[in-house]
Amino acid sequence: MATDEFELIRRYFSDVGSDQSGSVRRTVGDDCAVISPPDNRDLVVSIDTMVEGVHFPADTSGDRVASRLFGAAFSDLAAMGATPAFFTLALTLPDNDPAWLQAFSVRLAELSRQYGVQLVGGDTTRGPLTLSIQVHGWTYPDKALLRSGACSGDRIFVTGTLGDSKGGLETLLKNIHGPQVPYLQHRFYTPEPRIDTALLIADYATAAIDISDGLLADLNHILVASNVGAMISPGELPISAELHQWVGEAQSREWALTGGEDFELCFTVPAKLEPKLGWALRNHSVGVTCIGQISAKPGILFSEGGRVWPVEPQGYNHFTNKHRV
Amino acid sequence: MATDEFELIRRYFSDVGSDQSGSVRRTVGDDCAVISPPDNRDLVVSIDTMVEGVHFPADTSGDRVASRLFGAAFSDLAAMGATPAFFTLALTLPDNDPAWLQAFSVRLAELSRQYGVQLVGGDTTRGPLTLSIQVHGWTYPDKALLRSGACSGDRIFVTGTLGDSKGGLETLLKNIHGPQVPYLQHRFYTPEPRIDTALLIADYATAAIDISDGLLADLNHILVASNVGAMISPGELPISAELHQWVGEAQSREWALTGGEDFELCFTVPAKLEPKLGWALRNHSVGVTCIGQISAKPGILFSEGGRVWPVEPQGYNHFTNKHRV
């Protein structure tokens, strides 16, 4: 059992991933990491924290915590249309549990290789299980996808299916078993950052966000930042067969709108660029669905079967404890 | 009482500091911050975590936590000879306590202005009080001060005085009062990152580290990374009058060697550059003291009064709980 902090870091975190952009000069083992920014690129950074009992159930295995942390964090780079490059990790651990740490670091290394990113630095401290990760990526100058660029008439798209992560969490909290459960729990534990999709849409999108708080809440961030509104067709929401089979139409639609933590992308594209977007996404493995349109007047309207009504944005808010697990 | 996470972040953290390097493009309020790296600079990054009850006593005021977090984190940039530019903050809070948060953010903003750095992004979650900060700075290409450059014959220097922080912590843990206590507790709560000193010595130093684990442990990091040893004169250790008056020669010397968290710099300079170093430090307000010399043979020797003996590096290790408060 390792009790030395430096030995522990050295053993598990000294060789995690590699940076495809080739910008990393010095990594774990000095006071700071050193990076040589590529010429003519902007740096894009985001920090995220996950706390045991808040963002994932107590006693979640190390590999599942690694998947969830990695997917959620790099999803923020996807939302900016950035190419991931490197990350840092601050790990607060209640015990020195080599088996948990090894499972965590092995999964983290697998994902780092898969996405071509490198762990360049970290901090390990004693305390209640808390993980903070900062992710770093590169975009061309002034090409980062912001929340503030949506214009009236733009089409609103989302990637993948929505509500699955909330469904997976519910099956965990209520200890539910059934044929749909493995898929839904996989969606909860293993969010896939939509990096490839983001790089394909970046030339066409006017605004983008990743869905962490719930579609309505996150779309509302775009609307407020862009000073516009939206008309949504709830019948167009992409919902997985598994979620629909398990909880039916009404519940799956509600979770798709407000469940949160799907880490899919919501983005807007000018109507005239829709054909080019379709062409860019040919043969792409991740589904992209148009769910509505940006309007000039602030607020969100639903439109279905000839009826139009306003809705309030709602979503995940850590400080309401709504999703405390 | 604010209960909305976004409102809370907006209120307290939307306008903290400003970046003197002018590289920050987008800050708090999108999925990521966006930075345009200055031409011909390396980026230097470090992440640090502080946990209530481990790194500071429970019920420490917000302004003291801010000072300690800021000083400890930016000290890592000083150790690299980097110019500080911006930072991110991941804040895990047990309660939504507006008074604590306001005191924290006011002090953080003061220090950010003082050091010319900007808060560019963050995350706020519910949980046991834990703070992770990532600091970012710039150096000229390949000019970052590493641990690995010390050579036999180099002089070993430290800034300021050593052991005060450990003394301050002891007065807190044992509820001690006396004329020296305010100074010592100030040194514990308000470490000053030695940024100005670092920029003055950067052209002369061959290796540098900040003293977080204790002089012997941190000097040993330089020695191992550089594959050299050191001869130290313990009688030359800079010890404050306050610490000496309170605990005497033997105890203050032990704390200077192993106490940790002083966040002073330890650095090495070739003997022939010592005159130029002295000239560079003329009129500089922070004391710089030569405590020994790098030797070819690995290990640390003490030399005093004609006697020479080997010592083991010891220091702060979070996972031994030695300093748990």
Side-chain angles (χ1 to χ4, degrees):
Chain A
M1 174 120 161
T3 51
D4 182 283
E5 184 182 358
F6 308 111
E7 175 57 26
L8 188 158
I9 294 169
R10 210 164 23 237
R11 187 185 305 173
Y12 293 119
F13 298 109
S14 62
D15 187 26
V16 172
S18 66
D19 163 36
Q20 285 184 336
S21 77
S23 58
V24 175
R25 289 285 166 276
R26 288 268 164 178
T27 170
V28 179
D30 217 299
D31 294 284
C32 295
V34 182
I35 315 294
S36 287
D39 287 343
N40 206 32
R41 291 289 186 285
D42 278 355
L43 172 70
V44 169
V45 305
S46 174
I47 191 165
D48 273 299
T49 297
M50 287 195 173
V51 182
E52 185 180 55
V54 178
H55 299 88
F56 55 86
D59 300 320
T60 299
S61 64
D63 60 324
R64 284 177 159 169
V65 171
S67 296
R68 195 146 157 57
L69 182 74
F70 189 99
F74 280 94
S75 176
D76 280 319
L77 290 184
M80 303 298 281
T83 301
F86 59 96
F87 66 104
T88 58
L89 178 65
L91 201 51
T92 302
L93 296 168
D95 299 295
N96 189 345
D97 179 343
W100 190 95
L101 260 186
Q102 187 170 11
F104 177 85
S105 67
V106 165
R107 185 78 185 115
L108 195 69
E110 283 172 3
L111 290 164
S112 298
R113 277 194 301 273
Q114 182 182 337
Y115 286 89
V117 296
Q118 186 168 359
L119 177 65
V120 301
D123 191 17
T124 315
T125 56
R126 176 78 86 184
L129 184 56
T130 306
L131 307 98
S132 288
I133 181 170
Q134 176 153 327
V135 296
H136 308 70
W138 306 110
T139 68
Y140 288 98
D142 300 320
K143 291 291 185 191
L145 288 176
L146 304 179
R147 297 177 179 178
S148 53
C151 296
S152 179
D154 285 358
R155 308 290 188 192
I156 303 168
F157 295 87
V158 293
T159 60
T161 57
L162 302 180
D164 294 334
S165 179
K166 172 69 174 168
L169 177 58
E170 288 291 310
T171 67
L172 282 167
L173 294 178
K174 295 176 179 163
N175 198 23
I176 286 165
H177 299 272
Q180 299 87 17
V181 168
Y183 168 81
L184 297 172
Q185 291 191 358
H186 180 78
R187 290 277 289 164
F188 173 75
Y189 280 122
T190 315
E192 289 177 32
R194 299 303 189 192
I195 300 289
D196 291 345
T197 317
L199 297 176
L200 290 172
I201 68 167
D203 284 342
Y204 312 103
T206 51
I209 196 168
D210 68 319
I211 300 174
S212 54
D213 298 323
L215 172 63
L216 288 179
D218 288 312
L219 172 61
N220 195 54
H221 291 315
I222 288 181
L223 302 181
V224 169
S226 303
N227 194 27
V228 291
M231 172 90 79
I232 300 295
S233 302
E236 301 296 327
L237 291 170
I239 289 168
S240 70
E242 288 84 350
L243 186 65
H244 197 275
Q245 283 160 12
W246 178 44
V247 293
E249 177 73 16
Q251 182 68 87
S252 59
R253 191 182 279 193
E254 186 194 323
W255 287 349
L257 290 166
T258 64
E261 309 225 321
D262 286 311
F263 300 109
E264 299 292 349
L265 297 180
C266 175
F267 61 97
T268 57
V269 172
K272 68 176 182 195
L273 293 181
E274 214 175 334
K276 287 192 178 179
L277 177 71
W279 189 245
L281 293 170
R282 74 190 183 283
N283 305 329
H284 186 54
S285 60
V286 178
V288 170
T289 308
C290 182
I291 59 164
Q293 188 166 313
I294 298 293
S295 48
K297 193 176 167 213
I300 302 179
L301 299 174
F302 274 10
S303 166
E304 189 166 34
R307 202 162 68 89
V308 172
W309 69 103
V311 292
E312 287 297 314
Q314 299 161 348
Y316 193 119
N317 183 324
H318 296 295
F319 279 12
T320 65
N321 275 338
K322 203 177 79 170
H323 286 236
R324 194 173 177 91
V325 292
Chain B
M1 173 121 161
T3 52
D4 182 282
E5 183 181 359
F6 308 111
E7 174 57 28
L8 187 158
I9 294 169
R10 210 165 21 239
R11 187 184 308 171
Y12 293 118
F13 298 109
S14 63
D15 187 27
V16 172
S18 67
D19 163 36
Q20 284 183 335
S21 77
S23 59
V24 175
R25 290 286 166 275
R26 290 267 162 179
T27 171
V28 180
D30 218 299
D31 293 284
C32 295
V34 183
I35 314 296
S36 287
D39 288 342
N40 207 32
R41 291 289 186 286
D42 279 354
L43 172 70
V44 169
V45 305
S46 174
I47 191 164
D48 273 298
T49 298
M50 287 194 172
V51 182
E52 185 180 55
V54 178
H55 300 86
F56 54 87
D59 300 321
T60 300
S61 64
D63 61 322
R64 284 177 159 170
V65 171
S67 296
R68 194 145 156 58
L69 182 74
F70 189 99
F74 279 95
S75 175
D76 281 319
L77 290 184
M80 304 296 282
T83 302
F86 57 97
F87 67 104
T88 59
L89 179 65
L91 201 51
T92 302
L93 296 168
D95 299 295
N96 189 344
D97 179 344
W100 191 95
L101 260 185
Q102 187 170 11
F104 177 85
S105 67
V106 165
R107 185 77 185 115
L108 195 68
E110 283 172 3
L111 289 164
S112 299
R113 277 194 301 274
Q114 182 183 335
Y115 286 89
V117 297
Q118 186 169 358
L119 178 65
V120 301
D123 191 17
T124 316
T125 57
R126 175 77 86 183
L129 183 58
T130 307
L131 307 99
S132 287
I133 182 170
Q134 177 154 326
V135 296
H136 308 70
W138 306 110
T139 67
Y140 287 99
D142 300 318
K143 291 292 184 190
L145 288 176
L146 305 179
R147 298 176 180 179
S148 53
C151 296
S152 179
D154 285 0
R155 308 288 188 196
I156 303 168
F157 295 88
V158 293
T159 61
T161 56
L162 302 181
D164 293 334
S165 179
K166 171 69 175 167
L169 176 58
E170 288 291 311
T171 66
L172 282 167
L173 294 179
K174 295 176 178 164
N175 198 23
I176 286 165
H177 299 271
Q180 298 89 16
V181 168
Y183 167 81
L184 296 173
Q185 292 190 359
H186 180 79
R187 291 276 288 164
F188 173 76
Y189 279 122
T190 314
E192 287 178 33
R194 298 303 188 192
I195 300 289
D196 290 346
T197 317
L199 296 176
L200 290 174
I201 67 166
D203 284 343
Y204 311 102
T206 51
I209 195 167
D210 68 320
I211 300 173
S212 54
D213 299 322
L215 173 63
L216 287 181
D218 288 312
L219 172 61
N220 195 53
H221 291 315
I222 288 182
L223 303 182
V224 170
S226 303
N227 194 27
V228 291
M231 172 90 80
I232 300 295
S233 302
E236 301 296 328
L237 291 170
I239 289 167
S240 70
E242 289 84 350
L243 186 65
H244 197 276
Q245 283 161 11
W246 180 43
V247 293
E249 178 73 15
Q251 181 69 86
S252 60
R253 191 182 279 194
E254 186 194 323
W255 287 350
L257 290 166
T258 64
E261 309 224 321
D262 284 311
F263 300 109
E264 298 292 350
L265 297 180
C266 174
F267 61 98
T268 57
V269 172
K272 67 176 182 196
L273 294 181
E274 214 176 332
K276 286 192 177 176
L277 177 72
W279 190 246
L281 292 170
R282 73 189 183 283
N283 304 329
H284 186 53
S285 60
V286 177
V288 171
T289 308
C290 181
I291 60 164
Q293 188 166 314
I294 297 293
S295 48
K297 193 176 167 210
I300 303 179
L301 299 174
F302 274 10
S303 166
E304 190 166 33
R307 201 163 69 90
V308 173
W309 69 101
V311 292
E312 286 299 311
Q314 300 162 346
Y316 193 121
N317 183 324
H318 295 297
F319 280 13
T320 64
N321 275 336
K322 202 177 80 169
H323 286 235
R324 192 171 179 94
V325 292

